[in-house]
Amino acid sequence: MLTLEFHFDFGSPNAYLAHRVIPSIEARLGARFDYVPVLLGGVFKATNNRSPAEAFRDIRNKREFAELETRRFLARHGITGFRRNPFFPVNTLLIMRGAVAARHAGCFERYVEVMFHSMWSDPKKLDEPGIVQAVLHAGGLDAPGLLALTQSADVKQELIRNTEVSVARGTFGSPTFFVGDEMFFGKDQLRDVEEEFIRQRDRPA
Amino acid sequence: MLTLEFHFDFGSPNAYLAHRVIPSIEARLGARFDYVPVLLGGVFKATNNRSPAEAFRDIRNKREFAELETRRFLARHGITGFRRNPFFPVNTLLIMRGAVAARHAGCFERYVEVMFHSMWSDPKKLDEPGIVQAVLHAGGLDAPGLLALTQSADVKQELIRNTEVSVARGTFGSPTFFVGDEMFFGKDQLRDVEEEFIRQRDRPA
């Protein structure tokens, strides 16, 4: 069975933009992405990498070009409702643990939708537990249950393990995709992800 | 008249790889790229940017992924004969001045072909004037005439001016492309360059 993975952290705007495009790719491929929660801060620590926001800050023209690329991506895919998060950078440890917790609790898809939306469309300061609780509640999720689960050793350990395994497979930033063992990086490689999935699916056994 | 520009420095392996793919794009579009010599060292200085080799050196997984992207690009476009230059980084001031000189002397295309080949296919230490002279001579070019021209104030000034104008338009690295005023960066955006050219060419006046 050919695997198709999206390694994500809610703190990455490019992960959000990929998330918005994934449904149309899934429809074309007739396959689903496995969403794998990883802690981007942990990825950066393990690889000595930094966020683009930080790395590009002092480079003339580069940030402007990244913004141009974002506008082109929005236009190409007809994405509306994307907003910069004014509280950026937001520490995502709690809400990424929450993603693992939501998987255990059987409400992963809804949780992912609510969190991406509350980070990059109706942006909130999602490193404050009270705000996370309110967002979960408004999204129809079991806020107290999920927040309690984020404190379990199993959930904490699973997020660490996801992150370590992802880095061991080649991850250095977000968004990262895997088609089988072939890795792709960045929202602009989603076209390559789609082509590679077709290539691997259709090749002779 | 819709312009299509390739801002290049021979020192950039990704510019070389773009150069290898450009003929097929030109054939499909029925249009030619204007090759604009810029000094990448000057671009980096003006923008506070660094080469990927330098910027990625200490980031785990990132250099490996850049190498994977190169292998994929070679395979996708059926490019053979690409070799890492063992003398890298090579100071390209002389040979980029030479590109401007060659334009003045009416042998630009041949010069570009010889220099890209001698940097990334049969790699030489092209910051040594004696080696540049030998390479030009072997390539059937007027080595003494071109080397003399590289020392003219006009040629020196034109390379500086090309570089300044390119940075003023948004350049921060290599390869950079312009379709009219729309900028694209990196060999992997050649697909977007081609799409944008068609879009601008075919839009109603």
Side-chain angles (χ1 to χ4, degrees), chain A residues 38-200:
Chain A
V38 297
L39 190 66
L40 190 54
V43 170
F44 287 159
K45 206 166 189 178
T47 58
N48 197 33
N49 200 4
R50 299 181 296 167
S51 73
E54 207 183 322
F56 297 173
R57 194 175 41 206
D58 298 323
I59 300 173
R60 182 176 166 197
N61 292 336
K62 195 147 178 175
R63 194 171 48 85
E64 291 81 352
F65 186 69
E67 285 167 6
L68 174 60
E69 285 185 300
T70 297
R71 289 195 300 276
R72 285 176 178 161
F73 190 88
L74 295 173
R76 173 189 292 268
H77 298 287
I79 297 169
T80 56
F82 172 61
R83 281 186 191 79
R84 290 278 158 197
N85 191 311
F87 309 106
F88 197 81
V90 173
N91 183 320
T92 57
L93 180 59
L94 176 62
I95 58 176
M96 293 312 297
R97 284 177 177 165
V100 176
R103 179 100 74 187
H104 288 260
C107 57
F108 184 71
E109 277 192 45
R110 179 77 194 141
Y111 181 93
V112 166
E113 206 52 54
V114 165
M115 280 302 149
F116 263 136
H117 180 81
S118 305
M119 184 70 90
W120 298 112
S121 188
D122 181 16
K124 303 279 194 296
K125 192 169 185 325
L126 292 178
D127 45 13
E128 291 191 4
I131 292 176
V132 172
Q133 179 151 23
V135 158
L136 291 174
H137 183 73
L141 289 154
D142 171 18
L146 285 170
L147 285 172
L149 254 183
T150 62
Q151 299 311 303
S152 86
D154 278 0
V155 164
K156 290 179 180 180
Q157 191 51 44
E158 188 173 328
L159 181 61
I160 292 172
R161 179 80 187 138
N162 281 358
T163 305
E164 286 174 350
V165 169
S166 189
V167 169
R169 291 175 68 191
T171 295
F172 54 84
S174 173
T176 296
F177 311 95
F178 290 93
V179 183
D181 285 329
E182 289 292 317
M183 179 179 139
F184 297 86
F185 172 70
K187 65 186 182 302
D188 293 309
Q189 294 201 338
L190 277 170
R191 287 188 283 185
D192 304 277
V193 167
E194 190 166 347
E195 287 172 23
E196 176 66 16
F197 185 88
I198 293 167
R199 194 188 69 79
Q200 288 194 42

